[in-house]
Each structure stands twice: as structure tokens, then as C-alpha cells.
Amino acid sequence: MTEGIEKETAPGNGALTVATAPAPRTRTEQAAEKRGAALRVEGAGITFGDFRAVQNIDLDIPAGEFLCLLGPSGCGKSTLLSAMAGFIQVSEGSLTADGVPVSGPDPELGMVFQSSEALFDWMTVHQNVTFGPRMRGCSRAEQDRVADEFLGLVGLRHCADRYPGQLSGGMRQRVQIARVLANEPGVVLMDEPFGALDAQTRQVLQQETARIWRSSGCTVVFVTHDIDEAILLADRVAVMTAGPAASIKSLYTVDLPRPRDESDPAALRLRNKLREDIGEEVRKAMRDQGLDDQLDREAKGA
């Protein structure tokens, strides 16, 4: 198997010790010790009336793993992520988090959306981040501790009293991440969260996401169209077939040291394999739509 790429088929001696009180642990340290929640998808299908979005989805995602879902447009990546969040139900098969069926939205399943419009514009950054704890009846002092910790984690303590409209797009996305983490979820689901950002901001947030994931210990499922983004972030990459009725085409383990070097020969080989897999599905989708002539012209450089 090519290095860096793995495609799957699926106190003593009588010594006197003195006990000392351990230093208080932060929430993120406690979360990292917990190592997230395990997700399991078995034979799952999702239909909307006569439309079959995905079928025969099998994924076993260990606690603490970072999994990227990659595939052509319209293949059902976001639909599958919505099912993992409990926003929609699987039509067949099963979907569980730590062995418990996902039957609806749950604080254990945090969702970071592509659009920062998911933030409450009329609330300050502090109020957005503490919304979940406030709804659970946490004291003001506890809310302040939550805001301080998670805004610190995303580097935005200095923005606590600002409103979302006063922030850049990248900063708003970091507030979204802090708001999700403030609920201490076992799983963080991210639906192309950096897709609308400029390249430089996107690169910074990719690095920050990797750092936050290591600090929090959450399981992450991250939807993206970007092959390089998947290689940079993921422990494993799941490639989906073209829709409708999409399934998992291939699953790769990204056995590369962190932080990742995009020029690493193993990273380049993996990029080529992922491009080949996705290219096959894009061509299949175009042929299914009767676009064979266009494919032939493009192949000839017309």
C-alpha cells in the first residue's frame, strides 16, 4: 500500500507518594478527555417522496475522529449531514450516536452551517455563544465562564460585545464554532463552513479548525467540495457517488503527520486518487444527463 494512503474495504517499589490537588480542568480539557461520541450509519437511505437522495450508506466513525465527506455537487453530502444532526430522519437503516438512535436535534450533535446568517444578528457575540447555556438555565457567572473559554479558543475574546454585523465573514464563522462548542457536543457537524470565504481567510480557518478539534476532542464530520481541504483536515475521507441514490464510493485513511504538508508526495498521490474517484462520478452524472457530446469536446480540447 502506498505510504500515507490506505484505502479501506471497510507508583511502585514502596516509594512514598504525596497526593496533591489537581489543577482545575477547563471544559475543553474535559471534552478532550471524553474524546467525542461515536457515530454509526448502517444501511441508511433517505428519500423525499419519490426522490431517493442516498442509499446503502455504511459509515463507522470512531469517537474523536475527523471525517471528511467529499463528492460531486448534488450527491447528498449535506442531506446525510442533516440526518446526522437529527434535522431529518433516515428512511431505512439506522443512525446512532454512542449507540443511541438519532431521532431529532440534540445538544450532543452540534451543527456549523455554511452561512454565518445562522448567528442571531440582534445578539452580541457573547450572547450568541452563551445562547445554549442560557436556555439550559445556567447562571450568569457560568455563562461568562463559557464565553471566556470558547471565545478564547477561537481567538475572539476581544469581540465579545460586538454584533455579528460588525465582524468579518471569517470571524462570524469562528463565533459559530464557539457557539456550537459551548454546548459541549460529542459530535460537531460542519457543512462547508468556509465555502463562501476568500482563499486566505479559508486557509487560516482550516488551520484553526484543526487546532480546535485537537483541543476539544470532538468527533467531526466535515462536508467539503475541496480535495485539498479534505487532505489537510481529515483522519479519513469518504467519497460519495454521484446522486441521486448516492452511496459511499471509497474510503481513504489519511496517514500523514500533522500539520499537513500539501507538497508531501503521499499527499499528492492521495489528491490524484481522490480526483480520479470524483472525476469518474462527475462524468457518470453528465452522461446520465445526456451530455456525452460535451464530454467528448472537452476531452479533445474543443
Side-chain angles (χ1 to χ4, degrees):
M1 184 65 64
T2 304
E3 181 182 357
I5 304 172
E6 180 184 343
K7 188 173 182 179
E8 300 180 1
T9 59
N13 301 324
L16 177 65
T17 60
V18 179
T20 58
R25 293 179 301 156
T26 65
R27 290 174 178 269
T28 48
E29 287 171 336
Q30 294 172 23
E33 185 177 283
K34 177 185 174 184
R35 294 308 299 170
L39 281 177
R40 176 166 290 180
V41 188
E42 295 182 289
I46 301 171
T47 59
F48 302 97
D50 295 332
F51 178 74
R52 192 170 183 81
V54 298
Q55 65 180 4
N56 301 325
I57 301 292
D58 290 300
L59 281 172
D60 197 352
I61 307 170
E65 181 174 76
F66 198 122
L67 177 83
C68 276
L69 281 175
L70 192 65
S73 296
C75 71
K77 300 184 298 294
S78 294
T79 298
L80 180 57
L81 201 73
S82 292
M84 292 177 176
F87 297 152
I88 59 177
Q89 299 297 302
V90 296
S91 308
E92 58 191 40
S94 64
L95 200 169
T96 61
D98 274 350
V100 178
V102 176
S103 57
D106 191 300
E108 182 75 357
L109 306 167
M111 185 78 156
V112 178
F113 298 93
Q114 180 174 354
S115 173
S116 58
E117 293 178 1
L119 295 175
F120 302 126
D121 286 339
W122 60 92
M123 293 184 183
T124 65
V125 167
H126 180 286
Q127 291 168 334
N128 266 280
V129 172
T130 59
F131 180 77
R134 190 162 61 252
M135 292 299 99
R136 297 197 304 271
C138 293
S139 68
R140 181 59 184 267
E142 177 65 9
Q143 292 174 41
D144 289 343
R145 282 195 294 272
V146 167
D148 183 70
E149 178 163 357
F150 290 103
L151 286 176
L153 188 65
V154 299
L156 290 176
R157 282 194 180 110
H158 63 291
C159 296
D161 294 328
R162 297 186 192 178
Y163 288 87
Q166 298 174 306
L167 305 179
S168 68
M171 294 167 79
R172 289 195 296 269
Q173 288 302 79
R174 282 192 277 167
V175 175
Q176 263 213 87
I177 294 171
R179 185 173 68 176
V180 167
L181 293 176
N183 287 315
E184 301 179 45
V187 179
V188 174
L189 305 161
M190 308 183 80
D191 191 6
E192 295 193 76
F194 313 138
L197 302 177
D198 64 88
Q200 186 173 5
T201 302
R202 183 176 186 138
Q203 184 177 36
V204 170
L205 287 186
Q206 288 167 347
Q207 295 167 350
E208 286 298 289
T209 297
R211 178 185 62 80
I212 292 166
W213 164 67
R214 291 193 298 268
S215 298
S216 70
C218 292
T219 304
V220 175
V221 182
F222 189 106
V223 164
T224 182
H225 282 97
D226 189 322
I227 292 174
D228 290 328
E229 185 169 65
I231 294 172
L232 179 70
L233 293 173
D235 290 322
R236 289 190 299 163
V237 179
V239 180
M240 295 184 68
T241 63
S247 58
I248 302 299
K249 177 183 180 71
S250 52
L251 193 58
Y252 294 90
T253 296
V254 187
D255 187 16
L256 296 169
R258 297 177 185 271
R260 301 269 166 81
D261 179 0
E262 294 180 21
S263 64
D264 186 312
L268 296 174
R269 288 190 292 269
L270 177 56
R271 181 185 297 115
N272 290 337
K273 287 179 176 291
L274 292 170
R275 288 183 63 182
E276 181 180 341
D277 279 0
I278 294 173
E280 287 176 356
E281 294 305 313
V282 170
R283 289 189 292 273
K284 176 180 178 296
M286 293 182 71
R287 290 193 176 95
D288 288 346
Q289 296 172 40
L291 299 175
D292 303 65
D293 291 342
Q294 180 177 332
L295 284 175
D296 290 339
R297 288 196 301 269
E298 289 176 353
K300 295 175 182 177

